[in-house]
Amino acid sequence: MVNSEVHTFDDEWYIVRYSGEIPEIAFNSAIYYFTRAKDGPQLTLSEEQNNLLKKAALDRFHEIVIRDLLHENHPKPIYRGIKRSIDNYHRLRKFCSRQQLDPRETRDEAARLLPLFLKTEVDEVRRYHRPSIINCTYGELQQFADDLQVPLSIEFKEVDFFCRD
């Protein structure tokens, strides 16, 4: 690649990596721009370049799934709620399936964090008598736990009452 193409690739990688809420769209946009857009460089991306863009999207997916499973984030403007984590996890799995990637790193981290999130939430609702921040239905939460291979243990039986109807 010539210098201007390297700069363009770095710019597009950055856009994919820090793409906001839907990394797959940024990934597909970058691929389209590089390979098919009339105003793009009309390149054939190397396997390494393609993998770098996939990894950037995968890393961004990881961040946005995990962000909303960190209970300490709930008072921050970046927090979107556990429902968003569930939705982003489903998007991640579909992206990984289409791109032949392994979502295991995110799944394992989410599986570790979900019980911690729920324990903290149950404890805080009891202690402070505040409304729950859980913004999904119990069915959605149960399905998420099943997807992560995390049993919703007896200590979380109250969570059903915290969930949206």
Side-chain angles (χ1 to χ4, degrees):
M1 272 200 275
V2 296
N3 278 344
S4 65
E5 290 172 353
V6 170
H7 179 72
T8 301
F9 184 84
D10 290 346
D11 291 346
E12 289 296 317
W13 176 91
Y14 186 88
I15 290 168
V16 173
R17 178 61 184 84
Y18 300 101
S19 60
E21 292 297 309
I22 309 186
E24 185 170 17
I25 291 174
F27 169 79
N28 288 324
S29 294
I31 298 296
Y32 175 79
Y33 169 74
F34 280 128
T35 63
R36 296 186 303 280
K38 288 185 182 11
D39 63 340
Q42 303 282 319
L43 299 173
T44 300
L45 294 177
S46 70
E47 185 176 341
E48 179 185 5
Q49 290 170 318
N50 197 35
N51 287 338
L52 285 169
L53 291 172
K54 285 180 185 180
K55 177 77 166 99
L58 193 62
D59 289 346
R60 182 60 186 156
F61 267 119
H62 181 84
E63 283 179 353
I64 63 179
V65 168
I66 298 307
R67 167 197 70 204
D68 297 317
L69 291 175
L70 295 172
H71 200 276
E72 64 268 18
N73 283 341
H74 91 273
K76 299 175 184 174
I78 62 168
Y79 185 74
R80 303 290 185 267
I82 200 164
K83 173 75 168 121
R84 183 69 66 93
S85 186
I86 293 168
D87 293 343
N88 284 327
Y89 182 72
H90 290 140
R91 289 183 188 112
L92 164 71
R93 287 181 48 199
K94 288 177 185 174
F95 175 74
C96 286
S97 176
R98 283 191 283 272
Q99 299 300 325
Q100 300 175 331
L101 299 170
D102 187 354
R104 188 177 325 155
E105 181 182 343
T106 301
R107 185 193 64 228
D108 291 350
E109 181 74 1
R112 184 183 72 77
L113 291 173
L114 180 61
L116 297 173
F117 178 96
L118 295 175
K119 180 175 181 353
T120 301
E121 182 62 6
V122 167
D123 290 349
E124 285 192 9
V125 168
R126 281 183 192 155
R127 183 178 313 124
Y128 303 118
H129 305 287
R130 66 159 172 78
S132 176
I133 60 170
I134 296 176
N135 63 344
C136 63
T137 67
Y138 187 74
E140 290 168 327
L141 183 62
Q142 181 64 58
Q143 183 61 56
F144 188 41
D146 290 347
D147 290 346
L148 298 175
Q149 301 171 353
V150 173
L152 287 183
S153 66
I154 195 71
E155 72 182 293
F156 301 130
K157 67 180 183 176
E158 291 174 75
V159 169
D160 187 16
F161 298 110
F162 299 166
C163 294
R164 280 187 343 192
D165 292 331

